[in-house]
Amino acid sequence: MEITVQWVRTSWTKKSRGGEAAARRNAAPVGFLLPQAPSSTVSFIHMAEAEGFEPREITKDLQEVGVSLREADGRLRVHARVEPLFGLPPRPHRPPAVRLLPGQWVRWQLNYRFTGMTTMREWSYWLDTFNIAYGPIERNVFLSEPTVMVDERGPVR
């Protein structure tokens, strides 16, 4: 069965925590039209503050993605891994894995805050969004509402 993965990462610093810069960051999409690529690859889209949150897309191998995917009994088991482990917020109670039927998809979001090496004022942030579909899909599937939404975003102040 086909598995389609789109990984969207938005990254920023304290400069984009308020005002016009925060509005640009908050307007960044969490889903994109899929490229014509084999299903064994991942469409990775990165939007960085330093580049005005313009999307940059590359392909990655499925093994590079921070999710666990396993097919069993006609379903796809999906569970996002918390990576890297030293980022905040703490996640003592993680949600269970999602089990998708063919034709379904999940959007799983995790956020992180990292502290600079020299000072606590050098914070940086990530928002990782994993869009994962099971079975044949249209290229625009991740522009619609997901079958399942898992929101693991936590406080990062």
Side-chain angles (χ1 to χ4, degrees):
M1 185 70 67
E2 289 180 49
I3 299 170
T4 306
V5 178
Q6 182 180 78
W7 176 11
V8 180
R9 173 170 286 166
T10 307
S11 60
W12 65 97
T13 67
K14 287 177 76 173
K15 292 182 222 171
S16 293
R17 294 244 355 241
E20 189 178 312
R24 272 195 313 278
R25 172 180 53 87
N26 289 332
V30 293
F32 291 85
L33 188 68
L34 288 164
Q36 300 287 23
S39 61
S40 61
T41 62
V42 175
S43 171
F44 176 70
I45 297 129
H46 186 214
M47 295 174 289
E49 173 188 81
E51 298 168 349
F53 298 106
E54 287 297 317
R56 307 282 187 237
E57 186 171 5
I58 62 169
T59 58
K60 291 186 174 259
D61 290 330
L62 200 50
Q63 293 76 25
E64 296 179 69
V65 179
V67 289
S68 170
L69 303 171
R70 190 174 65 228
E71 287 182 282
D73 302 322
R75 291 180 180 252
L76 177 66
R77 182 186 182 277
V78 178
H79 196 260
R81 294 189 295 265
V82 174
E83 295 178 345
L85 295 175
F86 59 86
L88 291 175
R91 300 177 208 281
H93 304 291
R94 303 275 327 278
V98 171
R99 288 174 173 72
L100 300 175
L101 291 167
Q104 295 182 329
W105 72 280
V106 61
R107 173 169 288 148
W108 198 307
Q109 292 188 297
L110 296 140
N111 64 338
Y112 301 92
R113 183 189 80 201
F114 305 98
T115 305
M117 296 296 233
T118 57
T119 174
M120 293 292 281
R121 291 183 298 235
E122 294 179 19
W123 289 351
S124 62
Y125 303 87
W126 287 353
L127 171 62
D128 278 343
T129 301
F130 299 102
N131 297 313
I132 301 166
Y134 188 48
I137 49 141
E138 299 293 323
R139 289 183 62 216
N140 66 350
V141 66
F142 297 139
L143 301 178
S144 64
E145 290 298 313
T147 310
V148 179
M149 175 69 189
V150 180
D151 188 347
E152 275 197 272
R153 294 176 291 173
V156 290
R157 293 192 173 263

